[in-house]
Amino acid sequence: MAKFIIEPHFRLQEWVADDKGYFTDEGLDYEFRELMRATDGKQHDKGSKGAFQSFEEGRQASVSCACHWTVNVAASNGHGRMLTDVYSVATAGIFVAPDSKIKTPEDLAGVPISVGYQSGSHYATVQALEQFLKPGDINLRYETGMLFKRMEHLFDGTAPAVHLFNGPYYFAEQLGYRKVLDATFMIGTMIHGDPDPEDLRKFFRALRRAQRDIDLRPELYTHFYKNEFPDRFHAKMDTRRWGPGERLVFEPYTKEVYEESFEWIAAHGIFPEGGMGSGQYERATLSLA
């Protein structure tokens, strides 16, 4: 049997479960891979490529994550199957420099906002801002790359506004960058290939235990954020000041939620006509229940 491949996703749960032996306790024969720090964050310097494109190219893990919108459409296009037994919610927001003249969401009209193309930050920024701005006033910038690269652009002063989530959200907050608007979003789970359903159950039972630990004593585990941050940022990071970030929710991602999300994406023209796949919940999803 092939090993169950685990790649963390900028959150704490996998790191806690690995460190405390929960995967081993479940009898999961797994390989733990960390991509971001090992490549000094170069994985995020992808220009206008985003999460959806990574699904098109193929991911190597048995199970991986992305925003629920992209997982929804990627699964609809046959790039894996969306697991409907659990989702998570990421802490996220749109940040600006401490001395920025941007004070309110309305001040973001026409301002280039760095997001990942067809990634959680893309959809979440539109969803959050359309309460305040007309569609023509929302100016999204994709070429600044994925999460860590966008964060670096914010720190370097080469991006006036940036969507950040989880660890980078807390790091920017620690350094005095200002959150103009909350842009929290749901994250979905994608199953790749044909892993043993029992291995998937073992994996999520371990994550459930880790989530309980994080809920109870988050300050014991925030240091794990450093495991994925590129080394060049470590000296300035004080993870004692950071929060727990993304939270796993062991509730169903229902057909109604899937279809409402699919319709929202289509209505906002985020994919070209014909690019969203079948949109059939039963074909695109998987449940272990």
Side-chain angles (χ1 to χ4, degrees), residues 146-157:
M146 301 292 281
L147 182 58
F148 289 132
K149 192 62 180 177
R150 292 198 306 273
M151 179 185 74
E152 191 170 358
H153 276 284
L154 179 66
F155 295 168
D156 290 345

Side-chain angles (χ1 to χ4, degrees), residues 16 18 21 26 34 42 44 53 56 60 77 83 111 115 127 131 156 158 189 226 265 267 282:
V16 173
D18 179 61
E26 289 290 343
E34 184 280 305
K42 296 297 184 184
H44 281 201
Q53 287 69 42
E56 287 184 311
Q60 302 307 308
N77 276 288
L83 186 71
V111 174
V115 302
Q127 183 173 269
Q131 305 172 89
D156 290 345
T158 53
T189 298
K226 283 192 173 182
I265 299 164
E282 290 78 9

Side-chain angles (χ1 to χ4, degrees), residues 54 94 108 110 180-181 217 220 262:
S54 73
I94 301 170
L108 288 166
V180 177
L181 179 63
R217 294 289 305 275
L220 298 181
F262 199 87

Side-chain angles (χ1 to χ4, degrees), residues 10-124:
F10 325 121
R11 62 189 184 191
L12 301 177
Q13 287 83 358
E14 281 86 352
W15 294 106
V16 173
D18 179 61
D19 181 71
K20 301 192 82 167
Y22 294 158
F23 295 130
T24 301
D25 289 349
E26 289 290 343
L28 184 64
D29 183 17
Y30 73 100
E31 182 180 331
F32 202 74
R33 294 180 182 171
E34 184 280 305
L35 293 177
M36 297 309 142
R37 184 179 170 192
T39 57
D40 200 26
K42 296 297 184 184
Q43 286 283 88
H44 281 201
D45 191 4
K46 291 189 174 184
S48 295
K49 287 187 176 182
F52 185 80
Q53 287 69 42
S54 73
F55 282 123
E56 287 184 311
E57 293 167 0
R59 295 190 178 186
Q60 302 307 308
S62 303
V63 57
S64 72
C65 299
C67 73
H68 73 116
W69 298 285
T70 281
V71 174
N72 183 317
V73 177
S76 177
N77 276 288
H79 300 308
R81 298 187 71 185
M82 184 179 197
L83 186 71
T84 59
D85 301 328
V86 60
Y87 61 86
S88 56
V89 181
T91 303
I94 301 170
F95 283 82
V96 299
D99 59 353
S100 172
K101 294 180 180 179
I102 298 167
K103 305 296 183 185
T104 69
E106 290 84 356
D107 292 338
L108 288 166
V111 174
I113 305 169
S114 293
V115 302
Y117 181 58
Q118 293 178 345
S119 303
S121 53
H122 182 168
Y123 313 87

Side-chain angles (χ1 to χ4, degrees), residues 238-253:
D238 185 357
T239 59
R240 297 171 301 176
R241 299 172 59 182
W242 298 15
E246 185 174 332
R247 191 176 195 282
L248 287 163
V249 180
F250 289 88
E251 294 290 340
Y253 190 89

